[in-house]
Amino acid sequence: MDGNMRILVADDQEPVRKRVIATLTAHPGFEVVAEASTGLEAVLKSKKTKPDLLILDITMPEMNGLDAARNIHSFLPESPIIILSVHKGHQLMEEARKIGVKGYVIKGEAVQKLIQAIEAVSRNDAFFPS
């Protein structure tokens, strides 16, 4: 892949979003091209910026992360989506997998795991908590 991986980050909690963005921008080769605080905003900004990869929180206003993922997947089928969530539920993970989500990271372990997840999904591997 040439140049930086262009990433969209969506989370309704600003401190979390800023921490994720700081983690990504500190990593060579990653560029955050858009941030969103609602699922709907994530969809609209994805249409505009066409990121290479998306990181979506599940619990967001206007549209949750899974609905946003489903929507974004319909027009950016090649861009992997990673869900960031406080929820470890297997049902959520299964639902995420069914709609084409490639990775799932638990918020408490976000920083280390997020980079691993991005590297895994960019190799076309899935990344889910065991």
Side-chain angles (χ1 to χ4, degrees), residues 1-5:
M1 190 162 83
D2 298 337
N4 287 343
M5 179 182 284

Side-chain angles (χ1 to χ4, degrees), residues 4-60:
N4 287 343
M5 179 182 284
R6 303 168 66 257
I7 303 172
L8 175 139
V9 177
D11 194 304
D12 62 327
Q13 295 176 302
E14 193 177 356
V16 175
R17 197 170 67 241
K18 295 296 182 211
R19 192 166 64 242
V20 168
I21 291 169
T23 302
L24 298 175
T25 50
H27 193 281
F30 294 167
E31 178 193 354
V32 175
V33 292
E35 55 178 291
S37 57
T38 73
L40 186 59
E41 193 184 354
V43 171
L44 298 173
K45 287 192 173 177
S46 299
K47 280 189 171 143
K48 210 163 69 181
T49 59
K50 298 184 176 52
D52 303 318
L53 181 134
L54 300 99
I55 297 167
L56 305 175
D57 178 24
I58 281 195
T59 320
M60 289 188 288

Side-chain angles (χ1 to χ4, degrees), residues 27-125:
H27 193 281
F30 294 167
E31 178 193 354
V32 175
V33 292
E35 55 178 291
S37 57
T38 73
L40 186 59
E41 193 184 354
V43 171
L44 298 173
K45 287 192 173 177
S46 299
K47 280 189 171 143
K48 210 163 69 181
T49 59
K50 298 184 176 52
D52 303 318
L53 181 134
L54 300 99
I55 297 167
L56 305 175
D57 178 24
I58 281 195
T59 320
M60 289 188 288
E62 288 179 17
M63 184 188 288
N64 71 43
L66 292 180
D67 289 342
R70 198 177 282 118
N71 199 311
I72 291 163
H73 200 63
S74 69
F75 60 86
L76 287 177
E78 299 303 307
S79 298
I81 295 172
I82 295 173
I83 290 288
L84 190 58
S85 179
V86 289
H87 308 289
K88 252 189 176 143
H90 285 288
Q91 267 171 307
L92 279 175
M93 289 181 210
E94 273 315 299
E95 196 184 334
R97 223 185 274 260
K98 274 194 197 101
I99 60 179
V101 167
K102 289 273 185 266
Y104 195 104
V105 176
I106 304 300
K107 274 189 185 173
E109 13 188 83
V111 178
Q112 324 84 291
K113 290 278 202 287
L114 199 52
I115 303 294
Q116 291 172 6
I118 291 170
E119 288 167 349
V121 301
S122 49
R123 288 190 306 268
N124 224 4
D125 294 333

